[in-house]
Amino acid sequence: MTSAAAAASVAVIGAGITGSVCASLLAARGVAVTLFDSGRGAGGRMARRREVMEDGTELHFDHGAPYFTVSNDEVARVVSGWEARGIVAEWKATFASFDLASGKFTEFEKEGTAKKYVGMPAMNSICKSLCQEDGVLANFGVTVGRMDWLQDRSSWSLASLDGKDLGYFDYVVATDKNVASPSFSGLTGKPPPLDLLSFPRLSTTIQDIPVRPCFALMLAFSEPLAMIPVHGFSFNNSDSLSRAFCDSSKPGRACVPPNRQSWVLHSTVEYASKVISNIGPRKPSADALAKVAEELLREFQATGLSIPQPIFMKAHRWGSAFPAVAIGGEDMCVWDKSMKLAICGDFCASPSVEGAVLSATRGASKILECLNCPSVL
């Protein structure tokens, strides 16, 4: 640890996989990290949903990223560390495609395809574990509403959406793609935290990153879906469904009672876009989500795979979680050294968990270089 690292303070905005990884890498080098997230806990798109049925039975669903794969050496080193700690495991799952027109499974996965990793015992376990490491101070339920660069102090002043002072920081890592986007106003009714009039050179890069919306449908069945021979599959020729995953088949997911099965289905982008254009960008009502759930279940049952009525069903909207582009170029992040600002996320590298981790390592490296610290990996 250098004295510069020990004296430096960094604010990380967002406790999804990018923010959690970046915070943990910086804290491991002795940097004081304060993490802010508007949610109740860490995870972002790696979220786990807990639901309680009328009989008191608890259900859990990985309703965001179902799993991830790794091809980059940098990310592989990070993930092997997680595997050694027991916060990820390989999901030995078989996948295929299902053609709605013919009613048949095709394209069964070949042996030797990329390993599928899942968090243990949930996808958000990775983020939760990283946010609890020494040197990381995590603040949940806090939305950063304003970021002001103080030229005379060469530092940042942050305030919450309700105007509360959050402190001064030497560096900021923003992992929310809406940090300077009009989409922030659509969700909150307030201007975005980063005023791009003050940072014209960033405006062309990060102003409005296109996204792919998606609805997730969480389903529980009283017995296994016997006509489905795989753990996950993509849909061909479906207007509304893109993928389905047997969530309860992942390692570390105990189902009570044991013969129950839980599934997570993802909608197509086209279906989600159509629904959102009708109901608007704000959080959907329970009635709107119930209608989505019914429509997606009907499509699942139209497969002819003897899908019974579920014992639990709920839809969730991912309005802007999945980016449609990567804006970070070779850096895999947007870095402004003069203003000590790193913008990181899968929207900077590639729209995947692996892309998010890679962007986090690059953002952390930029800050550590300024502090004369060794590289993160």
Side-chain angles (χ1 to χ4, degrees), residues 181-256:
S181 165
S183 301
F184 184 90
S185 308
L187 295 167
T188 64
K190 302 258 181 99
L194 194 62
D195 179 5
L196 286 179
L197 292 174
S198 309
F199 312 108
R201 64 180 174 277
L202 288 177
S203 61
T204 51
T205 318
I206 64 165
Q207 185 155 18
D208 211 1
I209 296 161
V211 294
R212 295 190 175 111
C214 170
F215 282 93
L217 178 61
M218 297 166 275
L219 299 170
F221 298 96
S222 56
E223 55 192 49
L225 302 184
M227 286 185 69
I228 299 179
V230 289
H231 301 98
F233 58 96
S234 57
F235 289 87
N236 293 328
N237 296 312
S238 170
D239 292 332
S240 55
L241 287 174
S242 66
R243 310 189 290 172
F245 304 97
C246 182
D247 207 48
S248 50
S249 71
K250 296 175 184 177
R253 274 74 169 168
C255 250
V256 186

Side-chain angles (χ1 to χ4, degrees), residues 18-278:
T18 305
S20 305
V21 169
C22 196
S24 100
L25 292 172
L26 290 168
R29 296 294 186 277
V31 179
V33 179
T34 306
L35 192 66
F36 299 102
D37 193 279
S38 54
R40 286 174 297 182
R45 201 179 64 225
M46 303 280 278
R48 179 197 214 192
R49 187 73 165 258
R50 174 182 171 272
E51 296 285 350
V52 182
M53 292 175 58
E54 286 178 7
D55 65 0
T57 305
E58 273 195 24
L59 297 170
H60 297 98
F61 300 91
D62 292 330
H63 65 310
Y67 67 94
F68 64 96
T69 59
V70 177
S71 57
N72 176 279
D73 289 344
E74 252 176 275
V75 179
R77 285 194 288 276
V78 173
V79 172
S80 85
W82 297 344
E83 214 171 354
R85 289 166 57 180
I87 56 173
V88 303
E90 184 185 352
W91 183 21
K92 293 180 165 62
T94 310
F95 281 15
S97 292
F98 180 82
D99 187 70
L100 211 63
S102 67
K104 289 193 169 68
F105 282 98
T106 60
E107 299 168 34
F108 284 86
E109 222 172 45
K110 308 284 184 288
E111 286 294 318
T113 46
K115 278 186 181 182
K116 299 175 185 69
Y117 292 100
V118 294
M120 290 285 285
M123 287 303 283
N124 68 355
S125 303
I126 304 166
C127 301
K128 283 169 77 171
S129 178
L130 297 177
C131 288
Q132 288 166 1
E133 288 181 354
D134 289 346
V136 179
L137 176 63
N139 297 275
F140 296 107
V142 179
T143 302
V144 174
R146 195 162 173 83
M147 299 165 55
D148 291 310
W149 171 245
L150 308 175
Q151 187 69 51
D152 55 333
R153 292 183 57 148
S154 188
S155 66
W156 288 90
S157 167
L158 267 52
S160 66
L161 197 59
D162 55 9
K164 185 182 164 202
D165 178 26
L166 299 175
Y168 297 97
F169 301 92
D170 299 311
Y171 295 85
V172 169
V173 178
T175 69
D176 180 354
K177 72 178 75 60
N178 290 330
V179 72
S181 165
S183 301
F184 184 90
S185 308
L187 295 167
T188 64
K190 302 258 181 99
L194 194 62
D195 179 5
L196 286 179
L197 292 174
S198 309
F199 312 108
R201 64 180 174 277
L202 288 177
S203 61
T204 51
T205 318
I206 64 165
Q207 185 155 18
D208 211 1
I209 296 161
V211 294
R212 295 190 175 111
C214 170
F215 282 93
L217 178 61
M218 297 166 275
L219 299 170
F221 298 96
S222 56
E223 55 192 49
L225 302 184
M227 286 185 69
I228 299 179
V230 289
H231 301 98
F233 58 96
S234 57
F235 289 87
N236 293 328
N237 296 312
S238 170
D239 292 332
S240 55
L241 287 174
S242 66
R243 310 189 290 172
F245 304 97
C246 182
D247 207 48
S248 50
S249 71
K250 296 175 184 177
R253 274 74 169 168
C255 250
V256 186
N259 59 333
R260 275 196 186 155
Q261 244 184 20
S262 57
W263 284 76
V264 175
L265 278 54
H266 287 182
S267 77
T268 61
V269 173
E270 294 74 21
Y271 171 83
S273 300
K274 192 168 75 178
V275 172
I276 291 169
S277 72
N278 288 334

Side-chain angles (χ1 to χ4, degrees), residues 305-337:
L305 294 170
S306 300
I307 309 296
Q309 277 301 115
I311 55 174
F312 175 87
M313 173 170 80
K314 189 176 268 191
H316 173 84
R317 186 197 70 178
W318 292 105
S320 64
F322 301 90
V325 294
I327 63 167
E330 288 183 5
D331 278 348
M332 306 287 183
C333 65
V334 177
W335 168 244
D336 191 312
K337 187 175 181 179

